[in-house]
Amino acid sequence: MKPIGHTEKFFKEIKDELKKGSTQKTHPFRYFTLGTVGLDRFVRQRTVVLRDFSEDLKCSFYTDFRSKKIIHIKENNRVALLFYNSEKLLQIKIEGLATIIKGSAKEEKHGQNIPEQSRKEYTTALAPGTPLKDAAPIEYLNEENHFCVVEVTPYKIEYLKLQQPEHIRVRFSNRDDLWSGEFLVP
Ligand SMILES: Cc1cc2nc3c(=O)[nH]c(=O)nc-3n(C[C@H](O)[C@H](O)[C@H](O)COP(=O)(O)O)c2cc1C
């Protein structure tokens, strides 16, 4: 899993920054834009929280099993993740395959980490995105919880840093569990 040559330090930087994003609440990589392909084949994007970044580079977030993004992922699990740090002018683009984790020990382990108030968000009587007549009140159910975890396994990662005298752009690709890196014209 090691990119060779001069690209290696950028690979390490990606890993370090994403790890920080998953563990530090104020880190710019705490939030990322998740792109999915809608059933009508239009791109759909939204912000989600990076909850975990594993040794093998899997990025996890939490969501409601009834949400549109889950409907999209069930149909097409190719997703895009976009991270941006405005202080470092650093952008990380990830393409990967999403796996929905529900009804397993892994989901339960993650579920135990979330505070009561956040847990409630996954118990709305109506599915997320259902039109409402008014802003409030929203009805919650106690017996049903639609919490699930989505784990994204990257197969392509692109690093771009804007800096002087020259910007740096590096593309990492995974083939047969081996990462390789190459510099690109920024
Ligand atoms: C700061 C911020 C963080 C968010 N984090 C999440 C999240 O971790 N999981 C999630 O499902 N939605 C999160 N949302 C809401 C999504 O952006 C989105 O509106 C919602 O999930 C519905 O998306 P969908 O209809 O495309 O499935 C967040 C929104 C904001 C503004």
Side-chain angles (χ1 to χ4, degrees), residues 29-166:
F29 286 180
R30 182 72 178 161
Y31 302 98
F32 65 93
T33 305
L34 167 76
T36 54
V37 181
L39 301 186
D40 53 6
R41 299 175 72 189
F42 272 96
V43 64
R44 293 289 143 73
Q45 302 172 86
R46 76 288 283 157
T47 308
V48 291
V49 180
L50 180 62
R51 300 288 182 172
D52 192 46
F53 180 69
S54 67
E55 272 303 304
D56 54 356
L57 314 190
K58 289 191 173 99
C59 302
S60 301
F61 65 89
Y62 299 162
T63 196
D64 191 304
F65 189 69
R66 300 164 297 175
S67 65
K68 286 283 187 319
K69 66 182 90 47
I70 292 294
I71 295 172
H72 300 166
I73 289 168
K74 280 182 190 162
E75 188 68 22
N76 177 356
N77 73 335
R78 284 171 166 234
V79 296
L81 278 47
L82 181 69
F83 297 86
Y84 177 56
N85 182 333
S86 61
E87 273 168 32
K88 293 188 175 173
L89 301 183
L90 172 65
Q91 171 182 274
I92 306 293
K93 290 199 291 184
I94 293 180
E95 287 173 26
L97 300 179
T99 307
I100 303 163
I101 300 168
K102 177 123 189 88
S104 67
K106 205 174 197 178
E107 179 228 309
E108 207 157 291
K109 190 172 146 262
H110 280 280
Q112 281 162 2
N113 290 339
I114 51 174
E116 197 57 39
Q117 183 55 33
S118 309
R119 197 181 287 257
K120 196 176 154 202
E121 289 168 15
Y122 303 98
T123 64
T124 54
L126 298 170
T130 307
L132 290 171
K133 283 204 186 90
D134 226 322
I138 294 166
E139 195 193 333
Y140 294 92
L141 303 169
N142 287 326
E143 63 276 18
E144 269 179 284
N145 193 311
H146 301 277
F147 171 80
C148 71
V149 181
V150 178
E151 200 173 70
V152 178
T153 306
Y155 56 82
K156 196 161 99 186
I157 305 179
E158 205 179 286
Y159 172 107
L160 174 67
K161 189 176 273 172
L162 298 193
Q163 61 173 41
Q164 296 305 334
E166 276 172 352

